[in-house]
Amino acid sequence: MSVDKEGVPFFTNIPSKDEFKLLYKERYKIQKNSIMLRDLDGIIKRAASKHNVDYPLVKAVIKVESDFNPHAVSNAGAMGLMQLMPGTAEMLKVKDVFHPGDNIDGGVRLLKLLLSRFDGNISLALAAYHAGAERVSRYQDIPPIDSTRKFVTKVIKWMIKYQEKEKAETVRNENENYD
């Protein structure tokens, strides 16, 4: 909620300025199903391929950030699957942070920028995604923030799991082609 100069209140579910005060936050608990997850997987693969970012990395960020909930909103105000902050979403020109395609495309572009800025160092790019690029630059390492260190560790753990799953599927598909 915000109040203009004449005292008229303004309500929104997507605040665009710091002058808004949070009145109520809805928590969505979505029921994940195989069709929804398969559709999200396709969106993730297309965005990762389009921006030349590793698909298991993108999927791992989404798993850790929102657990595949497109309506997720953090206590800090980050929104959607890849938990984009309002200012970041605006900078990336993300039209609808709760639309899976828009959110993932914006988040992947941000990951691409951070990977480039930190010379392909995944740990530093993830730390910057979580705590901000300036903090990572200041420390020239993962900042000494417990939540950021845990975030980086979790994402890398999930990324490895998704890489292993992808390799197993490739081997299975190759074996089916030889039968």
Side-chain angles (χ1 to χ4, degrees):
M1 178 188 129
S2 178
V3 179
D4 70 12
K5 294 173 202 161
E6 283 115 33
V8 177
F10 178 75
F11 299 90
T12 182
N13 64 337
I14 304 175
S16 59
K17 298 176 184 168
D18 292 335
E19 62 201 37
F20 284 90
K21 177 182 173 187
L22 180 65
L23 292 179
Y24 174 75
K25 185 188 306 188
E26 225 174 353
R27 295 261 184 216
Y28 288 94
K29 184 74 176 166
I30 62 163
Q31 200 66 21
K32 292 182 223 91
N33 61 54
S34 59
I35 294 170
M36 183 198 90
L37 291 174
R38 188 185 65 229
D39 290 347
L40 281 178
D41 214 47
I43 295 168
I44 296 165
K45 283 180 179 175
R46 283 189 297 278
S49 176
K50 176 181 174 184
H51 299 293
N52 197 27
V53 175
D54 189 40
Y55 154 76
L57 172 61
V58 176
K59 189 169 180 175
V61 169
I62 293 170
K63 171 66 179 167
V64 173
E65 285 284 27
S66 67
D67 196 24
F68 303 101
N69 180 354
H71 304 289
V73 178
S74 76
N75 291 333
M79 300 174 284
L81 289 161
M82 295 195 75
Q83 290 292 277
L84 300 175
M85 292 299 287
T88 303
E90 189 176 325
M91 175 197 76
L92 294 166
K93 297 183 178 18
V94 173
K95 291 176 187 161
D96 181 355
V97 291
F98 297 110
H99 181 278
D102 290 352
N103 186 284
I104 292 170
D105 187 75
V108 172
R109 285 186 285 126
L110 177 58
L111 269 176
K112 176 78 172 181
L113 289 169
L114 295 171
L115 285 164
S116 177
R117 178 169 177 171
F118 295 103
D119 299 318
N121 185 315
I122 292 171
S123 294
L124 294 183
L126 289 171
Y129 192 94
H130 189 264
E134 296 310 315
R135 281 192 180 130
V136 174
S137 292
R138 186 176 330 127
Y139 288 98
Q140 292 294 300
D141 198 358
I142 299 171
I145 302 167
D146 192 45
S147 62
T148 299
R149 291 180 182 271
K150 286 178 181 175
F151 173 80
V152 172
T153 301
K154 283 181 188 177
V155 172
I156 290 174
K157 179 187 87 167
W158 279 103
M159 181 183 74
I160 291 167
K161 283 184 181 183
Y162 292 135
Q163 287 170 336
E164 290 169 353
K165 184 178 178 185
E166 198 173 34
K167 285 178 190 172
E169 288 174 7
T170 301
V171 168
R172 190 176 331 108
N173 289 338
E174 288 174 356
N175 288 339
E176 286 175 3
N177 289 337
Y178 290 117
D179 290 343

